[in-house]
Structures are given as C-alpha cells and as structure tokens.
Amino acid sequence: MNSVATHIHSTRAIAQFGLKASGGTGSARPIVWSIAGSDSGGGAGLQADLKALAAFGVHGCTAVAAITAQNSVAVTRVEPVSAELLDAQLAALALDLPPQAIKTGLLGSVENLRVVCRWVDRLRAVAHTQGQTVALVVDPVLGASTGAGFADEALVRAYVEELLPRATLVTPNQGEAQRLLAAALRGDHEGDVEAMADALSQFASPALAVVITGGDASQTDGMASDWLISPQASGWLSLPRVDTAHQHGTGCTFASTASAALADGYCVADAVVLAKMATTHALRHGYAAGAGAGPVYAQSDFAQHVVNLPALTPSTAGRALPEALAPAFPALRDPALGVYAVVDSAAWVRRVLDAGIRTVQLRIKDAQDPTLEAQVREAIAMATQTPGAQLFINDHWALALRLGAYGVHVGQEDLDQVDVGALRAAGVRLGLSTHSYWEVARAWAQRPSYIACGPIFATQSKDMPWIPQELDNLRYWAGLLPVPVVGIAGIDAGNMAGVASQGVAGAAVITAITRAADPQDASRKLTAEFARGRGMPRVATPRLARPTL
C-alpha cells in the first residue's frame, strides 16, 4: 500500500472511532464545511463561500470536490477530484474541525456525492450522542451562469435520491428546482414556484426546508422574490431587485450564509432571512473583475441596514410591493410611547390612565366574554377623553374597527386572520409582536405603526417557546427598524431603566402594575425609571440579533 493510500485508510479509521473525542477545538466560532468546486476566477464556489462565511463570523473549512478552469466570461474545463481525495479531506477536517453545518455546492460526480452522504451520516451519529446535530445545506449547483453544465443525469438523480433526503435546507434557483423534479419524475411544475417547492419538500422526513431563489428569474415587478417553505414559516421573501451586472456568486453566498446562521444556532426561517439580507448586501457591493459579470462582495454589516430586510408575505398576499409603493399604517400620534401598560379590563384602563400612563393595551383573551364589547367601548371612550392617551385593542380587530378604536395590537399567530387592508384604510394604528428575524420580516411587510420585540426577559404571563432576547437584541431592533420599537415581557421597575436605555419607544408591562400593592405608585415609579433610562449613555448596537428559537 502506498503512502497516500495508507494515510487515507488510517484517517478513515480514526475519523470513524475518534470523532467524539476530537469534537472540541477550543474555537469560539462555529465551524462550517464548504464542499464545493474551486473557481479559478475567484467569483463563485469555494472562494465565494469563504468570503460569505467570514462575513458572518464563522470559521469556514473547505473540501475541494471539483476544480474548474474559468474566468468571468467562460468555464473552459471542469474536473472532479477523486472520491478518495475528497474522503481524505473530510477525514482530516473531522479529526480536528468537526462542523456544526455543512454546505455543498459543485460536487462533480456521483461518487463524490456518496462520500458526502457517508460523512453526513457519521457526523450526525456522533453529534446525536452529544445532544447536537449537523445541519446540511444543499446548493444544487448543476450548471454555471455562463451556460456550462456541471451535472449529468446520473448525478442529478443521486441528488434527489441520496443527498436531498439528508438535507436540512435546499436552495435551488428555479431552473435547478425544475431539473431536480424532472429527475424525480415528480411532474412538470415549470413556472409554478410554490408547487415546485412543495414537491421538493417531500424528499425527506420530516420535510426539509426549501427556498427557491428568484434573483436570476425574469420578474416584471422590480422585485427579487424567493419562495420559502420551512417548519417555522412559508411565504415570499421579497426585496427590490439590485440593479447590477455583477452577480457572480449570489447562489453560493446565499447558501453559505444560511449554513453559517444554522451553525450559529438560528432556526431555518431566520437563517434564510439572514441569507437574503447578506446576499442583497453583497450584490450592492459587487464589482467588475474582468470582462464579464463581476463577483458579489459579502460584507459583515449586512444585517445593520433596514434596506436589506425583506418582506415576508404569504402566497395569498402575493409578493410584497417595493418599499416606495407599500402602503404604511398611520404613524403614532406620539411615537414616545414610554411605559406601555397591558391590562385585561376597562376598569384597569381607567386605573392606569388615572396614574398618568398614556399608552395602554386592553387585552381580554376570551373572545366569548359577554362583557367584551361593552369593555372595549368603555375603554375607547375613556382613552378618547384623556389627552395624549393611545389605546390599543389586542386581537379583537373587527370589534375595534367597528367601535372606532385608535389602535390594534396583533400577535403573529393571529396575523393571518386580520384584514390588514381594512384596518389600514380606516386609519387604525397597528402594532405587531415579533420574536425573531422571520417574524420581523413578516411584520415589516405590513409597514405597521410600531413593532413589539420580545420576550426581553423570561415571563410567566404567556407560555412561549422563545429564548429571551435580552437587552442586546432589543438594542439591535431599536437601532435597525425605522418605526417605534416596544420591548415586552418580564419588564419591571428593577430593569425598566435598562430597557429604556436601549433606544426603544416604549416598554410594555403587565404584572409590574396589575399585581402591585399600590398600582398608582408602581406606575409612577415605572415612568420615572423609564425617563431615567432614556438619559443613560447608549451602548454600541450589536452586529446581529441573537437566535431566539
């Protein structure tokens, strides 16, 4: 046996039995493997992947599956590496740099694809013993944007039959999705992106997440819209198209950023939103590097610009309109909301108004409460008679609309049942609850009057799966969003000043008032603490909001 073969054989054995022991590298950064082709022109493939991974802040490792000879105008040769060499690369990485996520691009051969499948299975088996997982993002690179083919029919069938069933997320463009489905004999869905995504999502159990990207598609509405199916959310992610000729590496950047986000603990829907933001920002920074299309340029500040935040709209609503055309809800009469009392009766509305609080939400959970209409009517009358008062009715939007309410607050779980068009047309102010990137994208599509972010701290008032966002995330959202931001959940007199110091418009409280021995005194103390916090020095805004699910 020659030295290379001996090395491969021994590395395989060590990897199979030593992964668990070598599972920690001491690195504080998550690790992502990119298994893809090398682009000699530096615009796509492994080269683009490493740029995107570095911009996100994770550590990128590479395994070369194929070598291409290309520049900005043509691909002149593609040659896959041997399955043995690819296996040796992955074995070496597994010994010292085991991944939290793997991203695949150009694989070059059926044999290489099967090497990847075996390593995904091995790594997941070890991760499972440690209560962890390894995400797999498949970017099915079947051809180059210049027209060169990268995959024969046998390789496309192997994607469908072997790799996709292992995937966490698959990110084809429309042409790639159609070719995968044709290989699977899943019918002709050409032109019906939602049907294609639904068919692709059936390749794994539980169904894998799918995003069919549309940036390369011919769309006449001025938008770049991607259709997402995920366990958390489905819908169109839309942003105005970036007018640039330099878009080489967009698919690689998108899939790599999604992989980085998954490795960093974000759920799939949040990872896709972040990928959309990063890719859009990279397109804005694309540059010429030859006679053809230049590369996109991933930047670390992609999530700090609201212009990159996509709108998430359901199928029934169609794609979101460009920002300049999207009808916004009316602005708040007073965007300085301050202490925002959430109470469950008209009597409590009176108490907090008498205590000097001017932002109130009436939240009566029981829609069958026989006093519901009377209480809403009474609360609206009291707020109307109180100078500066802004009253929001929680959830019961149709009743609030009929009774002439100033504002309505709606949770994400109820948004699909709300006629937002009727509320907007009536001039009602709308507040929406959010807990993560994809929920903010969904809220942002409606251009509400304000956005509530939570839970900021742990709370017993509502059973939720969310990890508390805490002050860093609140400061991020307050700095990013151009509408008033309200922090909610777990806020009391002890932390009110800290919340107010994050730049928020308001801070919602429930039990800090309603369970206080003296609600009026509690209201005054909360108001004083909010004012104190507004005068505190500001801290730098985080680059990203942390995962919350």
Side-chain angles (χ1 to χ4, degrees):
M1 185 179 292
N2 62 38
S3 59
V4 173
T6 302
H7 169 75
I8 293 172
H9 177 80
S10 62
T11 303
R12 281 179 182 161
I14 294 169
Q16 283 179 313
F17 299 108
L19 268 175
K20 184 175 181 179
S22 64
T25 65
S27 171
R29 297 189 179 197
I31 292 172
V32 177
W33 291 1
S34 171
I35 308 172
S38 175
D39 176 358
S40 56
L46 294 169
Q47 287 79 359
D49 293 346
L50 283 176
K51 293 173 188 174
L53 296 173
F56 197 92
V58 302
H59 179 72
C61 299
T62 60
V64 181
I67 298 173
T68 70
Q70 63 177 294
N71 51 35
S72 67
V73 295
V75 179
T76 61
R77 185 169 178 177
V78 179
E79 188 170 320
V81 305
S82 69
E84 291 78 13
L85 179 55
L86 179 58
D87 184 77
Q89 293 176 75
L90 299 180
L93 291 177
L95 279 170
D96 185 46
L97 296 159
Q100 283 73 54
I102 298 171
K103 179 262 178 183
T104 68
L106 167 60
L107 295 178
S109 70
V110 173
E111 293 75 19
N112 282 354
L113 181 145
R114 288 174 177 158
V115 168
V116 173
C117 290
R118 288 194 294 271
W119 273 105
V120 169
D121 292 346
R122 291 173 190 163
L123 292 164
R124 283 178 170 170
V126 172
H128 180 72
T129 67
Q130 302 169 338
Q132 300 172 357
T133 188
V134 177
L136 172 63
V137 176
V138 175
D139 179 14
V141 178
L142 308 181
S145 57
T146 56
F150 289 159
D152 59 20
E153 292 311 305
L155 180 52
V156 178
R157 285 195 301 274
Y159 266 98
V160 169
E161 296 170 2
E162 301 177 50
L163 192 59
L164 292 191
R166 292 172 165 85
T168 306
L169 171 67
V170 58
T171 65
N173 60 32
Q174 293 184 27
E176 291 163 343
Q178 184 66 23
R179 192 172 173 195
L180 290 169
L181 290 171
L185 302 177
R186 291 295 180 96
D188 185 3
H189 302 289
E190 187 171 4
D192 189 341
V193 176
E194 296 178 30
M196 286 195 290
D198 186 62
L200 285 173
S201 72
Q202 305 306 311
F203 285 126
S205 182
L208 78 148
V210 177
V211 58
I212 298 182
T213 59
D216 63 327
S218 176
Q219 296 173 357
T220 60
D221 59 0
M223 303 299 290
S225 297
D226 313 319
W227 177 252
L228 167 69
I229 295 178
S230 76
Q232 297 82 31
S234 297
W236 287 103
L237 279 170
S238 303
L239 278 169
R241 185 177 294 276
V242 177
D243 185 15
T244 178
H246 306 305
Q247 23 59 21
H248 194 43
T250 52
C252 304
T253 300
F254 189 99
S256 294
T257 304
S259 304
L262 290 170
D264 210 20
Y266 294 88
C267 68
V268 176
D270 280 353
V272 171
V273 171
L274 287 164
K276 179 78 170 177
M277 296 179 76
T279 305
T280 301
H281 200 54
L283 280 162
R284 298 188 200 284
H285 290 83
Y287 59 91
V296 300
Y297 188 17
Q299 306 278 299
S300 63
D301 64 338
F302 67 90
Q304 294 180 304
H305 306 276
V306 74
V307 69
N308 295 330
L309 180 65
L312 175 59
T313 55
S315 173
T316 53
R319 297 173 187 171
L321 295 170
E323 183 175 350
L325 301 178
F329 272 83
L332 301 173
R333 281 201 300 259
D334 183 359
L337 295 172
V339 176
Y340 184 153
V342 180
V343 297
D344 62 3
S345 70
W348 268 110
V349 172
R350 168 58 67 195
R351 290 189 189 105
V352 295
L353 289 175
D354 288 346
I357 289 176
R358 289 296 175 261
T359 308
V360 187
Q361 181 184 134
L362 176 60
R363 186 172 77 174
I364 300 176
K365 296 180 182 179
D366 184 5
Q368 305 305 316
D369 186 331
T371 70
L372 175 62
E373 179 168 343
Q375 293 207 67
V376 172
R377 189 186 303 276
E378 182 183 352
I380 291 173
M382 286 187 292
T384 302
Q385 295 163 11
T386 304
Q390 300 182 92
L391 174 70
F392 299 89
I393 308 302
N394 181 277
D395 287 348
H396 306 296
W397 65 271
L399 179 61
L401 182 61
R402 178 162 59 84
L403 296 179
Y406 166 80
V408 170
H409 183 92
V410 179
Q412 289 275 331
E413 65 276 12
D414 299 308
L415 184 55
D416 288 339
Q417 283 72 53
V418 176
D419 187 343
V420 292
L423 292 174
R424 186 183 285 114
V428 176
R429 276 71 172 177
L430 177 66
L432 293 173
S433 294
T434 64
H435 306 89
S436 64
Y437 273 101
W438 71 263
E439 287 198 344
V440 171
R442 193 165 178 244
W444 183 235
Q446 304 301 332
R447 299 299 192 267
S449 306
Y450 73 87
I451 289 177
C453 295
I456 304 306
F457 305 112
T459 178
Q460 303 300 319
S461 64
K462 191 173 183 181
D463 185 20
M464 294 184 290
W466 304 99
I467 301 167
Q469 299 212 41
E470 299 185 350
L471 297 182
D472 284 350
N473 273 24
L474 184 60
R475 185 165 68 256
Y476 170 84
W477 292 119
L480 178 72
L481 296 170
V483 295
V485 169
V486 174
I488 190 168
I491 300 172
D492 56 28
N495 55 35
M496 176 62 81
V499 170
S501 71
Q502 308 310 309
V504 296
V509 295
I510 304 175
T511 58
I513 291 176
T514 59
R515 295 185 185 176
D518 186 341
Q520 287 206 346
D521 183 59
S523 298
R524 286 191 291 270
K525 287 180 178 177
L526 288 164
T527 300
E529 284 298 294
F530 189 91
R532 184 171 73 87
R534 293 290 289 177
M536 289 180 174
R538 297 291 174 86
V539 181
T541 301
R543 192 172 60 86
L544 290 166
R546 291 181 294 99
T548 54
L549 187 64

